[in-house]
Amino acid sequence: MPAVTWEEPFCGEGNSCYRIGVDGDGNSYIAVAGAEASYLTDTTDALRQLIRDIKAGKADHLLAD
């Protein structure tokens, strides 16, 4: 596993905690807290765009009950 600097977990209700991290090569990582060895990775620019899109409401349909 690359040397990833993980942020503190982002937790919702219950056990839904995610961690975001970066490495020194410009890559970003997302994992379930406690399972950081199984991560999704992409560029830091891709993570930046994902966060912008979520903040803009482009994923709100995933939260519909």
Side-chain angles (χ1 to χ4, degrees):
M1 179 175 186
V4 178
T5 302
W6 293 102
E7 295 288 322
E8 289 298 314
F10 294 91
C11 298
E13 294 181 22
N15 294 325
S16 58
C17 295
Y18 294 91
R19 296 188 78 181
I20 295 175
V22 295
D23 68 16
D25 294 326
N27 300 305
S28 62
Y29 300 80
I30 299 174
V32 173
E36 288 82 359
S38 298
Y39 53 81
L40 170 71
T41 186
D42 206 328
T43 64
T44 301
D45 287 337
L47 175 61
R48 186 177 294 113
Q49 188 60 49
L50 173 66
I51 292 169
R52 285 183 184 135
D53 287 347
I54 289 170
K55 289 174 73 173
K58 293 183 180 180
D60 287 355
H61 64 283
L62 298 172
L63 305 175
D65 290 333

